[in-house]
Amino acid sequence: MSTHYDFLVIGGGSGGYAAARTAREHTESVAIVDGAETLGGLCILRGCMPSKTLIYSAEVLHLAQHGKQFGLDIPSAKVDMAALHERKLRTIAEFADYRQEQLASDRFTLYRNKAKFTGEREVTLDDGTVLTADKILVATGSTVNFPPVPGLDEVPVWTSDDVLDLDFLPESVIVLGGGIVACELAQFLHRAGSKITQIQRSPHILKEVSVEAAKVVEQAFRDEGIELITDTALKQIEKTADGVRVTFEHEGETVVREAKYLFNALGRKPNTASLDIEAAGLETRKSGHLVTNENQQTTNPHIYAAGDVAGPHEIVHIAIMQGEVAAKHAFGQTVEPVNYDTLLGVVFTDPQIGHVGLSETEMEKRGIEFVTADYPFDDHGKSILMEAKYGYVKTWAEKSTGKLLAAECVSKDASELIHSTAVGVSLGATLEQLLKVHWYHPTLSEIWSYPLEDCLDLISEG
């Protein structure tokens, strides 16, 4: 015997909940399966919300410790990790409680179990319950990646989950990796008071952004006192009497670093291992993401995927958009696929990085003729008075039409500043239209007017 639903969601995070909510507009027969210990998903429980809560507190601490730059006499400022931890728990509890209420409401049938596929439209739960559905959405997110580094599986190691749950200040930490999570949490730990060594395999950190942007953050890290070592090859990780030892190659030499704790931030991978996807005829890409088309359908047309498990961009708002597309398509609606040409991405280091639109490499690949211009924050009034001089803004515009194609911001509060250009890119606004905006002085935002004007001049000059 089995229970049948019109729409079944595996995973109650941002993408899964968005899909279930959308499906509920078309039918009452919607079920959600989520076997996590606590409902809410990665973003709320172990990702965006806890990390940004901690990062913001560390920024306040950093500013207080540098009060003399602002003509302030602040005798002492230090972290209280126990209090910081409690504030984080209170903050995310508000979001988690709301999500749990929504998932457990009578709008959905909620199964607090783990599931695996046992047929093309069938899943079996860990208590033996069998569920079938006309359409199924996989939104199981991602999990920490443990690459084959000699010794990594033989020593005590932290993941981002552990760092986000700290209630004490570690004296020293070696951070493996240079991705977004690695960089954001390395800087948080450093500002809280830990001695940080960050080891990155590639020549630059943050492969998700331009090399130009990554270099600004690298300089800021080193200026703050983080020992950032790039272009390395990990050779061995060992346990010591006091912690861990990491041996790696750098610039032709063997280098050794020791610390009390080791933080594995070498990326995440799609969470599909326990799903038995072969039983449903689902295929994956080399990255491990489930193969999906523009409607989020997998290689089994009755099964959809959204969020980190699907890719190509592991961002919360993308997961939500994908979930909504999947649910609408599942009920026969004509849908507009997610437009990745207007993709918005943010890195919450300090300085932050924001980028919207195509990369310059992609523009060149497509044969798009464009003009580009930039302007530095160390020559901008508001950023100077804020002692926020790292970084720049940069814009790209199509030469034939003057439309804004992309924008990049590396600065304090870049996550907020990038949205003004995101509106322009998404709506296909031209430089002339954007320059009609009242760019108020003195603000950080008015800096956009300079590269916009320069791009317009370049087009006018032919």
Side-chain angles (χ1 to χ4, degrees), residues 341 358-370:
D341 286 359
L358 298 172
S359 67
E360 188 167 308
T361 301
E362 183 62 25
M363 292 180 213
E364 292 171 345
K365 181 180 175 181
R366 297 187 188 185
I368 299 172
E369 291 191 4
F370 61 86

Side-chain angles (χ1 to χ4, degrees), residues 327-341:
K328 289 176 181 177
H329 186 267
F331 287 94
Q333 285 190 277
T334 300
V335 295
E336 186 176 334
V338 179
N339 181 8
Y340 299 112
D341 286 359

Side-chain angles (χ1 to χ4, degrees), residues 366-379:
R366 297 187 188 185
I368 299 172
E369 291 191 4
F370 61 86
V371 295
T372 183
D374 57 63
Y375 197 87
F377 274 96
D378 64 5
D379 189 38

